[in-house]
Amino acid sequence: MELCRTVDEMRGVSAAARRAGREIGFVPTMGALHAGHASLIDAARRDDGLAVVSIFVNPTQFGPNEDYARYPRDEAGDLALCRAGGVDAVFLPTVEAMYPPGAATRVSVPSLAGRLCGVFRPGHFDGVATVVAKLLHIVTPDRAYFGEKDAQQLAIIRRMARDLDLPVRIVGCPIIREPDGLALSSRNAYLSPAEREQARCISAALRTARSSVSAGERESSRLIAEMTRVITDAGACRIDYVSIVDPDSLEDMPRVESRALAAIAVHIGRTRLIDNMTLG
Ligand code: AMP
């Protein structure tokens, strides 16, 4: 497994793969890797000749009062997971390598970035779109793999790739969950045992909505009220949003007539968690 710490090293590995006629699959991450990341790596390994993972805690996607400084970092553990997963190359750039002095360009998809999490994390998705655009230019993958766990991020990256004619296929991969339903997340490490117990309410709320839709409920307002009740019943949680939206435009859907996305963002103690499920 090759370790690339500079942009030039990464470009060199990708160029050599291309010369050898190998397709490149790419999994961008912020590290603290878990089975959710591993599922993306598996997909890249299955479909592509060269599997590349990037590990970069991107400062421009964190707000001033967010968890950039304390975000979990475990390079040795991450590299072990990559090695075990059969990754061919890992790109571990420094902040200075990604944002040299004077870096000023931003990529923005305002119509999608202003919704859902964007309301509570202003600027977050500009940071995401910018760093992913840069990574795609550096790694030059044929396919890039993203988790449906971050459904808004996935919608924004798809739109960015389409709007900028990026020569890459964006592949969405299913959410990997704990046995009790909690979506795997690097931020789950922040939860105390009591908070971990409370966090079950998020996926439970989504499952409740899904069952109600299967039983014939179509009114989003009633489904949202039901999900909100499941979360508030679980105790000390602060809700950012409980929404039902179109998965591509992220616009609110008053009724679930076609495929809809139920999406939730909740604070459990000091930890902000997101999750979603398709309905209908
Ligand atoms: P992160 O390291 O949190 O930036 O995530 C890197 C990639 O892994 C993103 O495309 C995420 O959507 C994806 N991911 C994170 N958690 C999960 C999960 N539980 N299941 C599937 N994909 C995930």
Side-chain angles (χ1 to χ4, degrees):
M1 189 171 78
E2 304 217 40
L3 297 193
C4 307
R5 296 198 184 265
T6 68
V7 170
D8 283 348
E9 280 168 357
M10 186 64 245
R11 282 194 200 285
V13 169
S14 287
R18 287 214 173 282
R19 278 196 301 274
R22 296 169 84 186
E23 291 197 317
I24 302 173
F26 177 43
V27 179
T29 81
M30 297 208 300
L33 301 182
H34 51 62
H37 300 109
S39 73
L40 307 187
I41 291 171
D42 286 346
R45 280 241 305 159
R46 213 170 32 239
D47 298 346
D48 300 281
L50 186 92
V52 179
V53 171
S54 67
I55 298 175
F56 180 60
V57 184
N58 174 37
T60 67
Q61 71 188 69
F62 288 80
N65 299 314
E66 293 186 349
D67 56 345
Y68 175 65
R70 69 182 186 116
Y71 193 84
R73 290 165 171 86
D74 175 16
E75 186 177 307
D78 289 347
L79 293 180
L81 186 144
C82 288
R83 228 171 251 119
V87 170
D88 298 295
V90 183
F91 181 40
L92 300 133
T94 60
V95 173
E96 294 70 31
M98 289 300 279
Y99 301 108
T105 304
R106 281 276 181 281
V107 180
S108 185
V109 189
S111 59
L112 299 180
R115 301 177 182 278
L116 301 174
C117 286
V119 174
F120 302 89
R121 305 186 69 189
H124 167 67
F125 289 111
D126 291 1
V128 170
T130 303
V131 81
V132 171
K134 286 171 66 70
L135 290 167
L136 292 174
H137 278 104
I138 295 164
V139 177
T140 66
D142 296 278
R143 278 169 286 270
Y145 299 83
F146 294 85
E148 290 168 356
K149 155 91 175 3
D150 299 278
Q152 184 170 15
Q153 169 173 288
L154 178 57
I156 288 170
I157 300 300
R158 280 193 203 287
R159 189 70 66 91
M160 173 188 79
R162 196 185 78 183
D163 291 351
L164 297 182
D165 305 297
L166 300 183
V168 59
R169 220 178 94 219
I170 305 300
V171 183
C173 300
I175 301 175
I176 305 298
R177 299 178 177 281
E178 299 279 7
D180 70 354
L182 180 68
L184 294 191
S185 163
S186 305
R187 291 191 166 98
N188 291 351
Y190 298 148
L191 300 171
S192 70
E195 290 169 345
R196 171 64 186 79
E197 189 59 27
Q198 269 180 350
R200 299 168 62 146
C201 71
I202 306 170
S203 58
L206 292 166
R207 283 196 306 274
T208 303
R210 187 178 260 186
S211 320
S212 295
V213 169
S214 299
E217 180 61 79
R218 292 287 175 269
E219 279 300 325
S220 294
S221 59
R222 280 202 286 270
L223 293 163
I224 289 169
E226 217 170 38
M227 289 189 279
T228 305
R229 197 169 330 112
V230 173
I231 293 166
T232 48
D233 284 355
C237 302
R238 180 157 62 83
I239 295 176
D240 274 356
Y241 61 79
V242 175
S243 298
I244 295 179
V245 299
D246 177 277
D248 300 316
S249 71
L250 306 179
E251 281 171 27
D252 283 325
M253 287 177 73
R255 287 178 61 77
V256 180
E257 299 296 2
S258 52
R259 206 165 72 91
L261 189 77
I264 294 178
V266 173
H267 297 259
I268 308 278
R270 286 175 66 203
T271 306
R272 185 177 187 277
L273 298 178
I274 57 170
D275 197 355
N276 68 82
M277 222 174 254
T278 45
L279 307 174

